[in-house]
Amino acid sequence: QVQLVESGGGSVQAGGSLRLSCAASGYTVSSSCMGWFRQAPGKAREGVVIDCDGRTTYANSVKGRFSISKDNAKNTLYLQMDNLKPEDTAMYYCAADRRRIATMWEVLEYKYWGQGTQVTVSS
């Protein structure tokens, strides 16, 4: 049984930083496609960063501010978020294991999802 558990969300002021974690069980983060998505109230879930097939791709809105990493020993995926902006406010989800039926930015493409962690950035 695959479980993805996010943590690390919180409330920060604009310009601040947070590091999100996604601890995986029943799934190996080191050799798999994984990514971070987010969903703001009233908006569709959108991809933030995808690490897949040896490539890391960031959404334009977070380039230069967010960074994805993995700790293989802990089987955990991270998202370092710096210089946060109010528009980054959203529920953040990690996703894993592509179905290979759509682009890597599509929500339906991923088999497994965490429960989400809330990030709130105030101005």
Side-chain angles (χ1 to χ4, degrees), residues 5-65:
V5 180
E6 300 99 333
S7 61
S11 297
V12 297
Q13 290 191 324
S17 297
L18 284 172
R19 189 177 78 154
L20 306 184
S21 300
C22 172
S25 59
Y27 190 79
T28 303
V29 301
S30 62
S31 58
S32 309
C33 291
M34 296 192 73
W36 288 95
F37 285 70
R38 66 186 181 186
Q39 188 167 18
K43 294 189 177 181
R45 194 171 296 189
E46 63 176 6
V48 174
V49 56
I50 308 296
D51 184 271
C52 187
D53 298 332
R55 270 182 85 178
T56 301
T57 309
Y58 293 89
N60 288 335
S61 58
V62 305
K63 275 182 185 176
R65 301 188 298 120

Side-chain angles (χ1 to χ4, degrees), residues 48-122:
V48 174
V49 56
I50 308 296
D51 184 271
C52 187
D53 298 332
R55 270 182 85 178
T56 301
T57 309
Y58 293 89
N60 288 335
S61 58
V62 305
K63 275 182 185 176
R65 301 188 298 120
F66 289 14
S67 177
I68 193 172
S69 63
K70 296 177 179 179
D71 184 328
N72 296 336
K74 295 182 178 179
N75 207 34
T76 299
L77 181 75
Y78 299 100
L79 181 65
Q80 177 66 42
M81 305 186 296
D82 298 320
N83 191 21
L84 282 160
K85 303 177 180 180
E87 52 263 42
D88 294 319
T89 295
M91 186 73 79
Y92 283 71
Y93 300 89
C94 66
D97 202 5
R98 288 185 62 185
R99 302 177 192 273
R100 309 281 179 175
I101 60 172
T103 75
M104 62 181 180
W105 297 106
E106 298 290 332
V107 170
L108 60 85
E109 176 69 353
Y110 295 86
K111 295 179 185 176
Y112 306 112
W113 292 86
Q115 83 289 349
T117 186
Q118 178 68 37
V119 172
T120 302
V121 185
S122 58

